[in-house]
């Protein structure tokens, strides 16, 4: 298969992630068939895509005529057969539960063309263990970040049986969508970003639970320091500026004690007990009560678009420094 042979994409699962992924593909001109077991998800999916496009137009990242053109390229269909018919790429974005993924892979295997590539959006699962073995050579993890129509990173994880030609098709295809795919050469739980976030989470809970800092000040500290610095230097290049000798000495600083592993941090547990789950219940770390959930999400996306748009120069493939 050549990249120009890709004409139709099937997106299986129209929950939180599916609609944004479908939107990016359709905006780039591909025919998209969305499918979900739960047809009640379709009106919301359509609404979310239309709202997302409105925001892109407002940010100058899409033209007003793109709204109708993109919507016309997305068909939300009744059956898996209709979705997979003629699709060169199958995007699996169903619930993150092993039995659900496994059953969906068996269904896909029965229907999809033998040449079709299967891209899983799993965040954590080793889906290579769940896939029908005959499909492994054309299966790859293609992990988008929420909101997928805004954030450029896509983690692409090659399985031990994934054919090199599948990797060689997937990466340029995603770049053609304006994304920044990064290849992970073998499955490791959490890939890159969720591994890093896990460590940052542990330190966040430690600092907050021990009363060293408020959530507001912790967030300000991050936004005013490592967030912009990371945009210029990432994580690895930063050591060239710190100096690797100093980095080595820091590793052996005996006064620095790592936060203990704590799977029951008060910061999380106390809020879960009160049903303070975040924007879905109107209150979590911060209080959003009295505001419409969709408006809060829209504002978040508006700010994210502003940031991503103005920092594009940091995402050029050629090195900044
Ligand atoms: N939510 C995020 O922030 C996020 C970010 C990156 C990756 N992911 C990954 O993307 C995938 C989807 O996550 P989500 O948050 O969109 O989940 P979700 O629960 O919001 O949506 C999943 C959808 O799958 C549908 N589904 C379940 N069984 C099905 C079946 N047999 N056939 C067709 N559809 C079926 C459900 O009806 C639901 O609409 C997961 O693997 C998740 O780990 C999620």
């Amino acid at each position: 298969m050549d990249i120009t042979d890709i004409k139709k994409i099937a997106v299986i699962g129209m929950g939180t992630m599916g609609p944004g992924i479908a939107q990016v593909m359709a905006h780039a001109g591909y025919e998209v068939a969305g499918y979900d077991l739960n047809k009640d998800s379709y009106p919301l999916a359509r609404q979310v895509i239309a709202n997302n496009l409105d925001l892109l137009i407002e940010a100058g990242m899409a033209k007003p005529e793109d709204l109708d053109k993109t919507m016309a390229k997305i068909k939300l269909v009744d059956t898996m057969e209709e979705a997979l018919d003629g699709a060169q790429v199958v995007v699996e974005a169903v619930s993150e539960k092993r039995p659900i993924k496994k059953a969906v892979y068996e269904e896909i295997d029965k229907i999809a063309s033998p040449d079709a590539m299967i891209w899983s959006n799993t965040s954590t699962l080793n889906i290579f263990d769940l896939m029908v073995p005959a499909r492994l050579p054309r299966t790859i993890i293609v992990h988008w970040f929420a909101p997928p129509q805004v954030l450029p990173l896509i983690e692409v994880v090659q399985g031990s049986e994934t054919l090199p030609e599948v990797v060689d098709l997937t990466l340029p295809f995603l770049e053609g969508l304006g994304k920044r795919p990064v290849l992970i050469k073998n499955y490791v739980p959490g890939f890159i970003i969720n591994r890093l976030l896990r460590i940052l989470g542990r330190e966040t809970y430690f600092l907050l639970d021990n009363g060293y800092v408020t959530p507001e000040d912790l967030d300000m500290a991050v936004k005013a320091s490592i967030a912009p610095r990371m945009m210029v230097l990432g994580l690895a290049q930063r050591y060239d500026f710190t100096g690797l000798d100093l980095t080595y000495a820091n590793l052996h600083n005996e006064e620095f004690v790592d936060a203990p592993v704590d799977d029951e941090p008060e910061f999380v547990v106390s809020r879960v007990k009160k049903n303070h789950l975040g924007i879905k219940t109107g209150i979590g770390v911060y209080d959003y009560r009295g505001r419409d959930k969709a408006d809060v999400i829209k504002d978040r996306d508006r700010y994210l678009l502003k940031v991503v748009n103005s920092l594009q120069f940091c995402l050029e493939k050629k090195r900044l420094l």
Side-chain angles (χ1 to χ4, degrees), residues 15-17 36-37 93-94 96 100-101 104 121-123 143-144:
T16 307
M17 293 298 286
D36 199 294
L37 203 55
V94 301
E96 186 80 336
I100 293 183
K101 300 255 192 224
V104 166
N121 191 41
T122 184
S123 307
H143 178 231
W144 300 59

